[in-house]
Amino acid sequence: MYGAAGFYRGGGEGPAGHFRTSVHASPLFARAVARLLCRVDAALGRPPVLDFVDMAAGRGELTGGVLAALPADVAARTRAYAVEVAGRPEGLDPRVRWRAEPPGGLTGLLFANEWLDNVPVDVAEVDDAGVARRVLVRGDGAQRLGEPVTGAAAAWLERWWPLPGEEGLRAEIGLPRDEAWTSAVGALDAGLAVAADYAHTAAARPPFGTLTGFRAGRETPPVPDGSCDITAHVALDACAAAHATRCTPECAPPDALMRPQREALHALGVTGARPPLALARTDPAAYVRALASASQAAELTAPGGLGDFLWLLQPVGAVDAAALLVDVADDEEQ
């Protein structure tokens, strides 16, 4: 996926040409992230430079949308980074700094929308003797069982995704995601890191894993030849704990928070409420616009769809993640 001619380095539309993320579903998503950035800004005391980092930026759609939605005084202080392995697309807002890795020493918001699910992981499967073995895959997608899982990977499975000895049960070993998330959060000196993704927690791990592929808007077998997106849901609770364990006792991390996307977006003003019918009589054009916005909001927060994404909010420094997800009306009072 990440090779010179791989899925994410290829030209054209990028990920938007193959699957629909919250960013592509509606500009309401970027506006909600901009509102969250404003709340982080306020929590940090409105620093002279406010950083916004878009991890796995695709073609920069979220970064550009956030910049466009910010109030002028906040936008003037914002330093925006789009982090992506592909080259910078033409026509991107010149204020956006295009990077292959996030810089260090940041103060602000790091947002990772559907990034961790594309950080590669090993898959383990239980054999007929009850032993968890690594799944090996050929270039054409054919799979077979390899050596038993040992060492740090086995310890991770025992802690985060225990596999009973039933043949065929699978797990995705999330160590690389834990390490990637810890590294990304480490770029912040102060602020908030958010991961929004297909995810699960220890209370409800999928018994046969979630590995799959996507191409041209359709689910497809996960063939590792660079022609499709290969993805697996994220054990976000393990990611949160991994960052916490890297902190020293003298510098204990603030509490992380996990919320379904629908709850997070509702708190950021994306509700999906239909406009009053009276508006259709007094201002039909405004009613149509409001109805379209409500439809987009409903898609972003829908049960069984994008609304079921999990958001992991990992604060750094003196930032209270729960206080950032207050009712949208509170913003108007500030």
Side-chain angles (χ1 to χ4, degrees):
M1 286 199 303
Y2 298 102
F7 181 82
Y8 279 103
R9 290 187 186 271
E13 297 176 287
H18 295 271
F19 49 84
R20 185 176 176 86
T21 73
S22 298
V23 176
H24 308 124
S26 171
L28 293 175
F29 190 79
R31 293 173 199 164
V33 175
R35 185 179 289 274
L36 180 59
L37 178 59
C38 289
R39 293 182 180 183
V40 171
D41 180 42
L44 294 171
R46 296 182 171 83
V49 177
L50 178 68
D51 293 306
F52 174 69
V53 180
D54 177 12
M55 294 294 297
R59 295 301 182 263
E61 299 96 334
L62 178 61
T63 323
V66 167
L67 284 173
L70 289 174
D73 62 315
V74 180
R77 292 184 287 110
T78 297
R79 187 169 52 187
Y81 296 93
V83 178
E84 179 57 68
V85 296
R88 182 187 183 99
E90 295 182 3
L92 187 65
D93 189 318
R95 293 175 293 176
V96 176
R97 295 164 165 84
W98 196 263
R99 306 268 308 228
E101 299 286 344
L106 299 169
T107 299
L109 173 64
L110 181 145
F111 202 93
N113 185 65
E114 296 196 44
W115 168 51
L116 289 173
D117 67 293
N118 288 129
V119 173
V121 292
D122 283 339
V123 177
E125 181 177 321
V126 179
D127 68 8
D128 57 3
V131 176
R133 295 179 176 271
R134 293 182 189 271
V135 176
L136 306 182
V137 60
R138 295 190 322 206
D140 62 2
Q143 299 178 12
R144 66 175 178 85
L145 298 187
E147 294 298 314
V149 179
T150 59
W156 189 94
L157 283 178
E158 183 178 3
R159 168 67 180 86
W160 291 108
W161 199 331
L163 284 172
E166 181 181 339
E167 184 179 5
L169 293 182
R170 280 192 168 199
E172 288 117 18
I173 304 170
L175 271 175
R177 277 97 179 263
D178 296 354
E179 293 165 358
W181 180 243
T182 299
S183 176
V185 178
L188 286 169
D189 283 348
L192 180 73
V194 177
D197 228 315
Y198 298 98
H200 44 69
T201 61
R205 302 287 190 218
F208 301 104
T210 60
L211 183 70
T212 190
F214 284 95
R215 183 191 298 113
R218 296 181 180 275
E219 193 166 351
T220 185
V223 178
D225 61 1
S227 69
C228 66
D229 176 41
I230 299 176
T231 179
H233 296 194
V234 184
L236 268 185
D237 47 354
C239 294
H243 169 69
T245 59
R246 297 289 179 93
C247 298
T248 63
E250 296 79 16
C251 185
D255 290 337
L257 189 69
M258 273 193 289
R259 291 289 185 270
Q261 175 159 297
R262 74 177 63 87
E263 291 184 16
L265 289 183
H266 284 167
L268 294 167
V270 180
T271 65
R274 293 174 63 90
L277 284 174
L279 183 62
R281 294 189 294 271
T282 59
D283 191 342
Y287 177 79
V288 170
R289 290 193 299 270
L291 197 61
S293 180
S295 177
Q296 293 171 12
E299 180 181 2
L300 290 171
T301 58
L306 294 173
D308 287 346
F309 271 43
L310 279 183
W311 282 31
L312 166 60
L313 293 88
Q314 194 111 43
V316 177
V319 174
D320 182 350
L324 296 172
L325 292 185
V326 296
D327 187 88
V328 69
D330 293 355
D331 281 351
E332 308 302 328
E333 299 172 2
Q334 296 177 5

